[in-house]
Amino acid sequence: MKIAFVGKGGSGKTTLSALFCRHLTASGHSVLAIDGDINQHLGAALGLADDVVPPPMGEYLAEIKDYLRGDNPRIPSAEVMVKTSPPGAGSHLLGMEDPLWSRFGLDVGGVRLLATGAFAEEDLGVACFHSKLGAVELLLNHLQDGPGEYVVVDMTAGADAFASGLFTRFDRTFLVCEPTRKAVAVHRQYQGYSAEFDVALSVVGNKVTDAGDADFLRREVGADLLAWVGQSAPVRAMEQGHPFAIDDLDASDRAVLDQMKAVVDATVRDPDRFLAQMHQMHLRNAATWANTTVGADLAGQIDPDFRFGADLVPAARHGLGGAAGARGGAG
């Protein structure tokens, strides 16, 4: 299952996404975590030292594109592949044991962590963070995950995810919401923007201190509210750099993580809808900017006969580079 954590900046979405990853791993599941937030704090929340970071995928976009396109004749080069380019016959579909995860990921307590990378000095004033998120969208478009496998993405704050088609790439989206007017305003934005795309949205309240806070969330969020958590001494200690194990959590907090996993596992997946939305977003981006940028009609990249569920296709011609692989590429 592909899972997103979103919410207002400072709501605690990174902390909750890290706790959820640890909970899944402790339950014996394969977990791939992707830090897609501009602040890049997921590694620290998982327990990684501040000076240890995964290779920034946003800087190796051309290499990633070349790997994913494989022998797809509709995408003859990485230069004509954009962030919304869909897989087709010959594309390299990704399983959870793909070499790409070792190339760009680090093992953190059993969680495989990848990161888009933060803004570099040369990005300031000339680039937007969504150009780095293109790697995440491409990976999710080409991922074929199976039972007992989970991909968790810590997304950008607020409603920034709607600047691309990335918000449609998930089976379940958790919106972390404090009991404040600003936080529930982000929920209303998400609810409104995602309505036509049938996004499976659940709200998890955070920093709930009393019954009044809980009542506020019930009143403002309605049926989307799944559960809530309060202040946690073990979590605060973790955020201050102290060793942390998932069993350190209070029983009530572990119960919330169980509820979250249950709603994820109960989500009905529709690979045909997932693919149709992918094609819709690709056509929209092609018409708006990508055709002009690339200098070609990218509608032809859609393979009408492709369906998810076939055997994984190896990349026959294109392997992964080393640490100094090709960087950059169009969005």
Side-chain angles (χ1 to χ4, degrees):
M1 303 294 276
K2 304 175 185 72
I3 305 148
F5 278 80
V6 301
K8 184 182 73 66
S11 63
K13 66 180 180 60
T14 299
T15 298
L16 274 171
S17 60
L19 291 175
F20 191 61
C21 287
R22 290 187 176 201
H23 180 67
L24 292 171
T25 301
S27 302
H29 296 291
S30 178
V31 180
L32 182 69
I34 302 177
D35 193 341
D37 189 7
I38 192 170
N39 294 314
Q40 299 286 280
H41 290 157
L42 184 56
L46 286 168
L48 204 61
D50 291 339
D51 59 346
V52 180
V53 295
M57 293 189 298
E59 296 184 17
Y60 297 92
L61 193 53
E63 177 186 340
I64 292 171
K65 288 177 178 180
D66 206 40
Y67 186 64
L68 294 178
R69 71 182 181 86
D71 289 314
N72 186 342
R74 295 174 179 272
I75 307 177
S77 70
E79 286 71 22
V80 299
M81 193 174 189
V82 296
K83 63 184 180 181
T84 57
S85 292
S91 294
H92 185 113
L93 300 184
L94 301 168
M96 291 291 278
E97 301 301 323
D98 195 275
L100 184 141
W101 311 131
S102 297
R103 162 75 173 90
F104 289 102
L106 295 176
D107 184 271
V108 189
V111 176
R112 177 65 63 175
L113 172 68
L114 296 92
T116 58
F119 263 175
E121 185 174 349
E122 60 267 24
D123 296 323
L124 299 178
V126 297
C128 86
F129 189 66
H130 297 288
S131 62
K132 297 180 182 294
L133 284 175
V136 181
E137 191 164 355
L138 279 169
L139 293 179
L140 294 180
N141 280 352
H142 289 75
L143 178 65
Q144 191 156 268
D145 47 326
E149 298 175 338
Y150 299 85
V151 179
V152 177
V153 181
D154 181 26
M155 294 282 285
T156 53
D160 281 356
F162 290 98
S164 72
L166 191 53
F167 73 97
T168 67
R169 303 297 83 204
F170 302 100
D171 299 303
R172 174 66 56 174
T173 296
F174 287 118
L175 191 148
V176 180
C177 189
E178 301 167 89
T180 66
R181 292 172 61 192
K182 291 181 180 179
V184 298
V186 173
H187 168 256
R188 284 194 293 271
Q189 283 182 305
Y190 243 89
Q191 197 177 46
Y193 293 157
S194 65
E196 68 174 288
F197 297 96
D198 197 24
V199 172
L201 182 66
S202 295
V203 172
V204 179
N206 191 26
K207 305 176 187 178
V208 175
T209 59
D210 54 30
D213 285 347
D215 289 340
F216 175 83
L217 288 175
R218 287 194 194 95
R219 182 173 65 252
E220 297 293 330
V221 174
D224 285 344
L225 183 61
L226 174 68
W228 60 85
V229 295
Q231 301 291 342
S232 169
V235 171
R236 176 54 59 88
M238 175 196 74
E239 292 175 336
Q240 294 172 350
H242 298 290
F244 175 84
I246 199 69
D247 289 340
D248 293 335
L249 285 177
D250 294 337
S252 59
D253 292 334
R254 293 199 302 271
V256 169
L257 295 175
D258 282 332
Q259 282 182 271
M260 294 167 65
K261 181 178 182 298
V263 78
V264 167
D265 292 342
T267 303
V268 178
R269 304 182 67 169
D270 186 345
D272 290 336
R273 180 174 63 84
F274 183 79
L275 187 63
Q277 289 182 340
M278 189 189 306
H279 291 170
Q280 177 186 3
M281 288 296 174
H282 182 61
L283 291 173
R284 181 178 295 185
N285 279 263
T288 303
W289 64 270
N291 286 346
T292 301
T293 300
V294 174
D297 183 2
L298 299 188
Q301 293 184 349
I302 293 176
D303 182 347
D305 298 321
F306 175 83
R307 295 291 183 275
F308 284 104
D311 292 338
L312 296 181
V313 180
R317 292 188 292 110
H318 307 283
L320 284 166
R327 299 184 178 213

